């Protein structure tokens, strides 16, 4: 147990070291205010903050004008994601690149929408002490150069200024997908979510999705296989209003790509949320895996169908079952039935209880439970128990508390030495 405790404390220690906020970093530099604004508007800031090792290639306000003034937000997001490199580069490393050139992965590559080498940047140490940047697509020019270092937190995040935007062929000219009714259903069907697409059309919830899309919309679409799950409740028993709520529960009234979901804390309201019912989702993440928890079940984000501000569509592995519809029905059924049935039996046969009462008395005394609790006390779970669970053994948790305190002190002293 001590080994796991040490690993846990080390992870907490290094997590605190690696935490960064790109918005706060750039807020100290007014010459990057436009770049910082677009990182926030596109939600790329959340993605940057969720990464441990990253290099942000920033552009001055004048350099951003040439990119942002002529293109919609969805195109700007693609272009800026090419300026976020999934590696750490400071001035020293830029001038010490092996073989003088390297192709580095960017956030654009992680979207799965970058064909060929579009999601990579070419970093080349040029003659005369300059470092050039350009698209990794063959034939692309190194149109941008390293200007200066802005901020480094070795080896977590590096922010460096470059002279001009990095433009991959086809990124600025590709048509931005729209969020029309036809596109949403067509995209869902193509992604293997035809059953869900039909459901939101039949209920009329598609119109609600479309109305929300202008300001922000995130859809969690269950796959067709999710509707075939063995333990899936019988949806035919739901009223039309409940079916509407179920469909609305699978969407947020905001644009939340993967990075934003990772940054969320607490519960998120859905389109089904109203004054009477919460209809909320909880989000957790481990690495690149994002999980949605309803309180009744949980589901993993399987893939990204669309990420075009202000609309984001994901597929999920299973139907999201809100507790407002499915969490309360199972519990009352088994509860009262077994409690009421045994009680009338002894009352109906008064002589009968006299015979079994001596038989019931030996198992009844609580002396048997203390015999079991010491055997369980040394297990790993006992270290997580509290004193109020077993007052007779208050000394055991106290002993482990002292042991944990000593372990923490040893780890901290080791780290500080």
């Amino acid at each position: 147990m001590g080994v796991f405790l040490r690993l846990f404390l080390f992870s907490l220690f290094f997590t605190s070291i690696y935490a960064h906020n790109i918005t706060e970093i750039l807020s100290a530099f007014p010459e990057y205010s436009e770049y910082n604004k677009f990182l926030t508007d596109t939600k790329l800031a959340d993605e940057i903050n969720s990464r441990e090792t990253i290099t942000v290639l920033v552009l001055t306000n004048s350099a951003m004008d040439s990119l942002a003034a002529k293109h919609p937000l969805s195109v700007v997001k693609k272009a800026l994601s090419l300026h976020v490199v999934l590696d750490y580069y400071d001035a020293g490393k830029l001038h010490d690149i092996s073989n003088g050139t390297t192709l580095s992965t960017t956030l654009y590559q992680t979207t799965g929408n970058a064909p060929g080498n579009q999601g990579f940047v070419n970093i080349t140490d040029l003659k005369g002490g300059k470092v050039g940047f350009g698209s990794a697509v063959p034939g692309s020019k190194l149109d941008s150069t390293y200007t200066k270092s802005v901020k480094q937190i070795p080896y977590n995040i590096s922010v460096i200024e470059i002279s001009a935007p990095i433009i991959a062929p086809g990124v600025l000219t590709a048509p931005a997908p729209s969020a029309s009714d036809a596109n949403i259903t067509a995209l869902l069907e193509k992604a293997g979510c035809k059953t869900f697409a039909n459901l939101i059309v039949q209920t009329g919830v598609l119109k609600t999705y479309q109305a929300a899309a202008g300001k922000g919309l995130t859809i969690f679409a269950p796959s067709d296989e999710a509707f075939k799950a063995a333990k899936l409740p019988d949806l035919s028993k739901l009223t039309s209003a409940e079916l509407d709520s179920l469909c609305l529960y699978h969407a947020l009234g905001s644009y939340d790509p993967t990075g934003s979901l990772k940054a969320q804390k607490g519960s998120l309201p859905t389109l089904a949320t109203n004054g009477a019912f919460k209809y909320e989702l909880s989000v957790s993440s481990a690495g690149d895996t994002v999980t949605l928890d309803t309180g009744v079940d949980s589901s993993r984000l399987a893939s990204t169908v669309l990420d075009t501000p202000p609309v984001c569509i994901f597929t999920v592995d299973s139907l999201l079952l809100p507790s407002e519809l499915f969490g309360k029905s199972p519990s009352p059924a088994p509860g009262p039935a077994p409690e009421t049935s045994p009680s009338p039996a002894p009352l109906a046969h008064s002589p009968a209880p006299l015979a079994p009462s001596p038989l019931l008395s030996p198992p009844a005394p609580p002396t048997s439970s203390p015999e079991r609790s010491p055997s369980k006390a040394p297990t790993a779970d006992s270290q997580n128990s509290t004193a109020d669970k077993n007052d007779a053994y208050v000394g055991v948790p106290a002993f482990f508390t002292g042991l944990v305190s000593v372990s923490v002190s040893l780890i901290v002293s080791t780290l500080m030495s």
Side-chain angles (χ1 to χ4, degrees), residues 358-376:
L359 298 176
L360 292 175
S361 57
T367 53
S368 59
S369 59
E371 291 176 4
R372 295 178 183 177
S373 46
S375 66
K376 292 183 180 179

Side-chain angles (χ1 to χ4, degrees), residues 11 50 89 118 122 146 165 187 194 253 285 287 304 312 353 361 390 398:
S11 67
S50 71
Y89 288 96
Q118 269 196 3
N122 181 348
Y146 167 74
L187 286 169
K194 186 175 181 179
S285 61
T304 302
C312 197
S361 57
N390 200 341

Side-chain angles (χ1 to χ4, degrees), residues 43-361:
K43 300 297 182 79
L44 282 173
D46 293 331
E47 187 69 40
I48 292 170
N49 293 338
S50 71
R51 302 275 176 169
E52 288 187 359
T53 304
I54 207 160
T55 298
V56 183
L57 309 175
V58 298
L59 301 166
T60 62
N61 293 337
S62 58
M64 274 299 300
D65 286 340
S66 63
L67 175 64
K70 303 176 182 178
H71 304 284
L73 190 62
S74 58
V75 173
V76 173
K77 179 174 183 177
K78 286 183 180 180
L80 287 186
S81 63
L82 273 170
H83 293 69
V84 183
V85 181
L86 305 185
D87 200 351
Y88 182 86
Y89 288 96
D90 54 16
K93 186 175 179 178
L94 287 175
H95 289 95
D96 192 27
I97 296 174
S98 178
N99 298 323
T101 186
T102 185
L103 301 184
S104 289
T105 310
T106 69
L107 278 183
Y108 187 37
Q109 180 65 23
T110 66
T111 64
N113 298 319
N117 287 343
Q118 269 196 3
F120 297 85
V121 294
N122 181 348
I123 306 176
T124 300
D125 189 7
L126 303 173
K127 294 180 180 179
K130 290 186 177 182
V131 178
F133 294 84
S135 171
V137 175
S140 300
K141 297 179 180 180
L142 299 175
D143 291 329
S144 183
T145 56
Y146 167 74
T147 305
K148 64 178 181 179
S149 172
V150 179
K151 176 77 174 180
Q152 279 78 39
I153 305 178
Y155 291 90
N156 175 213
I157 183 171
S158 177
V159 182
I160 58 180
E161 180 188 304
I162 58 176
S163 62
I166 301 170
I167 306 299
V171 169
L172 299 183
T173 57
S178 64
S180 67
D181 292 0
N183 278 340
I184 289 179
T185 53
L187 286 169
L188 290 177
E189 290 178 4
K190 186 177 180 181
C193 304
K194 186 175 181 179
T195 304
F196 183 71
N198 291 337
L199 191 60
I200 62 175
V201 171
Q202 293 169 7
T203 58
V205 168
L206 177 61
K207 295 180 180 179
T208 306
Y209 282 5
Q210 186 59 32
K215 296 182 179 179
L217 176 69
T218 301
I219 300 173
F220 306 114
S223 65
D224 290 337
E225 292 300 317
F227 285 90
K228 302 175 184 178
K231 295 183 179 180
L232 186 71
D234 187 356
L235 302 184
S236 65
K237 294 182 179 180
L238 296 178
T239 65
S240 58
E242 290 173 337
L243 202 56
D244 288 352
S245 295
L246 178 63
C247 292
L248 291 171
Y249 186 68
H250 284 75
L252 309 177
S254 56
Y255 169 64
D256 288 289
T258 305
S260 298
L261 291 174
K262 289 180 180 179
Q264 293 291 348
K265 296 180 180 178
S267 299
L268 294 175
T270 66
L271 288 183
T273 301
N274 55 53
F277 301 100
K278 289 185 176 181
Y279 280 104
E280 293 178 337
L281 284 171
S282 296
V283 184
S284 61
S285 61
D288 289 331
T289 301
V290 178
T291 303
L292 305 174
D293 194 326
T294 71
V296 175
D297 67 346
S298 61
S299 183
R300 178 185 66 94
L301 292 192
S303 64
T304 302
V305 179
L306 177 70
D307 183 357
T308 302
V311 178
C312 197
I313 302 177
F314 297 101
T315 62
V316 291
D317 290 333
S318 59
L319 199 67
L320 302 176
L321 305 177
S323 59
E324 286 80 2
L325 297 179
F326 302 101
K328 297 176 183 179
S329 54
S331 54
E339 293 295 334
T340 54
S341 56
S343 55
L347 294 175
H349 305 281
S350 54
L354 297 177
S357 61
L359 298 176
L360 292 175
S361 57

